[in-house]
Amino acid sequence: MNAGLRASDVARVIHRAAADDPDLQVHPPVAIADAGKELANTLLCTSADAPNPGELFDRLRWGGQVVFICDSREEAARIGARMIDSGFEITHKPSHITRGWLGLPIPLLSRRVHFLVARKVALIVPGQTTDRFTFHVHLVRSGSGEYEVVKEVPTLDMVMARLRSKWPDLAGEVVEKRARKFTDKIFPVFLTREAAILKIVNRDLPEAYRDRVPRLIEMDKDERGFAKRLHLSWLRNGGEPLSQLEFALQSADLLRALHDEAGIMHLDLRLDNFVITPNGVGFVDFGSAVRVDENLKQSPLLTSLFEELMRTSEIQRMLLRMTRTGEVTSEAISGGLHKVDKAVDCFYLAVQISSPHVNPDLKDLIRFDKASEEARQLSRLTEQILRPADPAKPAFRSAADILRGITQLKQGKSEGDSKPESGRQTSNKILSKTARPA
């Protein structure tokens, strides 16, 4: 902390900021020096801590805030401008408290303690690129004061920058041509599909699950009628930590409901697309989702796009590699190789429940000990799903089967102790225990 900064000054700054922001009351600031390695909801720092906006970005959850105490009004304004350029929104403009004798302001003798509050609203630092072609995703405060997720077609410059970083030797005209194909055709098609899929999910998913997937709030269209921007409900990570077994159970239950009740395949169940909120485990990013009964061959464009996706996606590459190495032998799972199939979701779910800390956003929300009996049991279950005794007749062919297997683990049963329950019977038991009153 700054030399001469008193604990009472810090307390007054926090009290002043929290008076205008209930979020700071729910998530009190933690001094950056005292914060652990896990991502924080709210950090407190001063100019003496000397953090740069990039460091703060990396240490905060998406939507997390930082209370920054500064030495002067000029410094607060300068830091605020840097924060805005680094993926933050200023939620409390540079302000100050006044310190005087006995806490009373005295003209000419009182000292001002300046501060500002900023929220991490960008999903990635502006100007940075990721390994995946993706949309421009950020948080925006609605007219009601609540935050929404805005997912929109990236600009031509964003896509060109991504292409240049991936293929630096490509000629400029080739980069621009490819970028225009993404911004004019591919991204609008997938965003329009995501809006349509979410409408189905929001309508057909049983009510008890609906707050565990994004809700489509609004869609902005371009002049051709394609979606250019979606406004979605924000599923904010947080709440009480879950055991690894409970995480697996809720994930399998939600996937069963998605497949069997809403008739939707997600097809991109990387841990980046899992959230854990006070309502339980949820899935986000339905950009690659497909209806169970959908005939993609009716559209040459969709046929081409999904054939490419089913060859190049991270999930398909992993499935191909593990099939070749013999880590996947189940014909029910390997049948999803290079195909739009429920098996793709079942495969990745089986992998994720055994390694839930791959996503740093979930580390402090899932109690995971690799050496625990719980972890060993789930690892054995994953092995049974992927490499069954009889690959042609696997016991696990669907999300409902995986849910049943996890439920039996939770109940301390072995696979042959009793007649297996159906996925729907298992799900009904879970709902009876977790459903909240309307």
Side-chain angles (χ1 to χ4, degrees):
M1 290 293 176
N2 295 30
L5 185 64
R6 303 171 182 172
S8 59
D9 295 333
V10 175
R12 289 181 61 205
V13 165
I14 294 174
H15 179 77
R16 172 79 176 276
D20 300 325
D21 187 350
D23 195 33
L24 292 178
Q25 300 171 25
V26 177
H27 303 291
V30 177
I32 191 169
D34 299 330
K37 295 182 179 180
E38 312 301 348
L39 297 179
N41 286 303
T42 313
L43 290 172
L44 172 70
C45 62
T46 73
S47 51
D49 297 315
N52 59 59
E55 178 187 352
L56 292 170
F57 192 98
D58 291 339
R59 296 189 64 174
L60 284 167
R61 290 191 184 282
W62 191 34
Q65 296 193 95
V66 55
V67 179
F68 210 121
I69 299 178
C70 313
D71 288 329
S72 66
R73 180 176 62 185
E74 292 74 21
E75 183 188 33
R78 185 169 61 253
I79 290 172
R82 290 179 61 201
M83 299 292 282
I84 291 173
D85 291 339
S86 301
F88 288 83
E89 172 190 83
I90 304 302
T91 54
H92 195 297
K93 294 180 180 179
S95 185
H96 68 269
I97 59 168
T98 302
R99 178 211 293 174
W101 185 68
L102 297 179
L104 300 174
I106 301 175
L108 303 180
L109 298 179
S110 299
R111 179 190 171 190
R112 290 183 171 181
V113 179
H114 298 268
F115 71 95
L116 62 92
V117 183
R119 185 184 298 274
K120 175 181 172 177
V121 293
L123 197 56
I124 61 173
V125 177
Q128 288 189 358
T129 58
T130 67
D131 292 335
R132 303 171 65 242
F133 283 102
T134 186
F135 294 88
H136 178 39
V137 183
H138 53 109
L139 295 172
V140 171
R141 187 156 28 183
S142 68
S144 66
E146 299 294 323
Y147 278 87
E148 300 172 352
V149 176
V150 171
K151 184 174 185 178
E152 56 188 325
V153 173
T155 65
L156 181 65
D157 287 342
M158 288 179 179
V159 180
M160 289 179 66
R162 175 68 184 87
L163 290 171
R164 289 193 190 100
S165 69
K166 192 171 180 66
W167 294 289
D169 297 331
L170 277 181
E173 61 270 19
V174 175
V175 169
E176 181 174 353
K177 182 178 180 180
R178 292 187 181 181
R180 288 192 181 281
K181 181 178 180 181
F182 275 102
T183 57
D184 294 347
K185 182 176 293 185
I186 296 176
F187 281 129
V189 166
F190 274 104
L191 199 61
T192 303
R193 283 186 53 83
E194 182 168 8
I197 291 290
L198 283 175
K199 287 180 180 178
I200 296 171
V201 172
N202 296 160
R203 181 193 69 203
D204 294 345
L205 201 62
E207 186 174 354
Y209 299 88
R210 290 180 191 170
D211 52 8
R212 293 165 56 187
V213 294
R215 176 173 54 86
L216 179 63
I217 298 171
E218 184 180 357
M219 176 174 66
D220 300 329
K221 298 180 181 180
D222 62 20
E223 63 279 359
R224 300 168 299 172
F226 286 108
K228 63 179 182 180
R229 185 180 301 110
L230 303 183
H231 294 255
L232 311 169
S233 59
W234 178 27
L235 302 186
R236 183 177 185 174
N237 277 317
E240 292 298 318
L242 303 175
S243 68
Q244 183 190 1
L245 189 59
E246 184 63 27
F247 168 73
L249 186 74
Q250 291 191 23
S251 300
D253 187 33
L254 179 56
L255 184 60
R256 183 214 61 80
L258 196 65
H259 282 180
D260 300 343
E261 306 287 346
I264 296 295
M265 297 175 282
H266 189 283
L267 299 181
D268 194 16
L269 283 183
R270 297 171 299 109
L271 274 179
D272 289 349
N273 292 331
F274 284 66
V275 293
I276 296 178
T277 76
N279 296 316
V281 176
F283 300 154
V284 298
D285 192 355
F286 283 74
S288 303
V290 173
R291 299 194 313 274
V292 169
D293 59 353
E294 185 171 1
N295 182 6
L296 296 172
K297 293 183 178 180
Q298 290 181 340
S299 167
L301 175 60
L302 289 180
T303 299
S304 173
L305 290 176
F306 275 93
E307 284 179 352
E308 176 70 13
L309 186 64
M310 291 302 105
R311 286 196 306 270
T312 61
S313 73
E314 175 185 329
I315 295 174
Q316 287 287 346
R317 292 199 307 270
M318 178 180 285
L319 179 55
L320 175 60
R321 183 175 67 252
M322 292 179 69
T323 300
R324 285 176 171 173
T325 59
E327 295 170 273
V328 173
T329 60
S330 167
E331 294 181 8
I333 299 295
S334 61
L337 187 60
H338 297 160
K339 295 179 182 177
V340 173
D341 195 283
K342 292 179 184 179
V344 177
D345 286 342
C346 294
F347 162 68
Y348 227 42
L349 177 69
V351 172
Q352 307 295 35
I353 60 177
S354 295
S355 305
H357 279 186
V358 173
N359 181 357
D361 270 330
L362 304 182
K363 275 193 173 181
D364 61 340
L365 295 174
I366 303 173
R367 298 191 298 272
F368 172 60
D369 177 1
K370 188 176 181 179
S372 69
E373 179 60 24
E374 180 178 81
R376 287 194 291 267
Q377 287 180 339
L378 283 167
S379 180
R380 285 194 293 268
L381 178 63
T382 294
E383 178 79 1
Q384 292 167 12
I385 294 169
L386 302 182
R387 300 182 69 235
D390 185 347
K393 298 179 180 179
F396 300 96
R397 308 182 66 90
S398 67
D401 292 335
I402 296 174
L403 173 61
R404 182 246 310 157
I406 297 170
T407 302
Q408 289 179 339
L409 284 184
K410 188 169 184 178
Q411 295 172 342
K413 297 178 181 177
S414 65
E415 188 73 17
D417 279 345
S418 61
K419 183 179 179 180
E421 296 175 332
S422 70
R424 185 179 292 265
Q425 287 172 325
T426 301
S427 181
N428 287 340
K429 285 188 177 182
I430 294 172
L431 286 178
S432 68
K433 294 178 181 179
T434 62
R436 298 173 292 109

